[in-house]
Amino acid sequence: MNPDPKSNLNSESAAAPLWLIAVFAGLLYGGMLYVDRNGGDFNAQVYAPYHSLAELQTCQPAKGGDEEVIRLGEQRYAQTCGQCHQASGLGALGQFPPLAGSEWVNEPDPARLIRIALNGAQGPITVKGQDWNLVMSLNATTLAISDKDLAAILTYVRQAWGNKAPTVTAEQIAQIKGETKGRAVQWTAAELNAVPVKK
Ligand code: HEC
């Protein structure tokens, strides 16, 4: 028997990788934990911001007719009136009077407002104590808008920017279209003031 002098050495060098593997496994595990906790700036709260179904539901957009009408109205307003009266409803000094807080917009009876929306307004008009003397000209696209869309626009305008006037329906639009049939020019404030309205 002549034992190989190198065998002892071999078994020692074979044992070395075991603790090395353990150290690396530990480092890897610790590294993953670190990334998991700090990676991507993720706030753990985003996973569980709600404590009950009721709480979650309070954060959902309300369903039902009115919300849909307002959304439609907001969209059509942007295409039809917003270029002049602005998304803010504040208009522009010397060019377009405001709809936010306007008495023409907020009258309980929309008979005058609907007339303005159908044919426009012209000449001297007072809005929130300020005098204007301009012409509201409506283009062909605006004049062709459906009763339903115009009702949505006016409902939106009467309930946006702090305005608090009742809804306008497509039936009310159709009725006033009937009463003003054949009219092609803008209304003056004097003509509008002569329109009988329910108080
Ligand atoms: C091309 C620009 C323009 C567009 C588009 C326009 N308006 Fe006007 N609007 C005016 C001007 C200018 C006046 C002021 C008319 C005057 O001096 O008699 C006015 C006046 C009014 C008034 C009365 C005054 C007030 O500020 O309350 C109302 C209400 C109104 N517009 C609503 C609308 C609605 C609703 C639409 C969309 C369907 C619309 N306008 C689209 C320019 C516009």
Side-chain angles (χ1 to χ4, degrees):
M1 294 277 276
N2 189 8
D4 185 347
K6 284 184 202 146
S7 65
N8 199 17
L9 201 82
N10 282 350
S11 70
E12 253 180 41
S13 65
L18 274 176
W19 65 262
L20 254 184
I21 288 167
V23 166
F24 276 115
L27 280 176
L28 195 65
Y29 181 62
M32 286 194 300
L33 276 185
Y34 180 82
V35 170
D36 193 34
R37 283 181 193 154
N38 304 294
D41 254 345
F42 239 107
N43 184 329
Q45 276 197 312
V46 300
Y47 291 111
Y50 304 107
H51 300 101
S52 69
L53 186 60
E55 196 180 327
L56 175 69
Q57 279 164 345
T58 62
C59 298
Q60 301 292 314
K63 291 217 175 56
D66 274 4
E67 275 298 324
E68 273 165 43
V69 168
I70 296 287
R71 254 194 294 272
L72 174 70
E74 183 174 14
Q75 188 200 349
R76 292 286 186 270
Y77 171 85
Q79 299 160 344
T80 317
C81 326
Q83 71 269 35
C84 295
H85 294 285
Q86 307 299 304
S88 62
L90 293 174
L93 201 67
Q95 295 180 70
F96 312 113
L99 302 183
S102 158
E103 57 269 44
W104 298 96
V105 171
N106 285 286
E107 259 186 326
D109 186 337
R112 294 181 178 131
L113 175 63
I114 294 173
R115 279 170 170 78
I116 297 174
L118 288 174
N119 286 105
Q122 65 178 340
I125 190 167
T126 306
V127 186
K128 294 166 77 179
Q130 205 176 347
D131 293 331
W132 303 78
N133 190 354
L134 301 156
V135 178
M136 167 171 155
S137 34
L138 297 173
N139 61 28
T141 325
T142 308
L143 293 170
I145 200 158
S146 73
D147 294 358
K148 179 181 170 240
D149 284 3
L150 188 53
I153 289 178
L154 297 185
T155 296
Y156 167 70
V157 160
R158 276 156 76 82
Q159 293 173 11
W161 319 301
N163 288 349
K164 285 192 178 64
T167 302
V168 174
T169 64
E171 290 71 29
Q172 288 173 306
I173 306 277
Q175 192 196 325
I176 300 218
K177 262 190 183 169
E179 288 173 17
T180 62
K181 206 174 162 111
R183 185 175 179 108
V185 296
Q186 286 89 343
W187 299 90
T188 63
E191 284 176 312
L192 291 166
N193 281 324
V195 172
V197 293
K198 289 188 217 87
K199 286 282 164 210

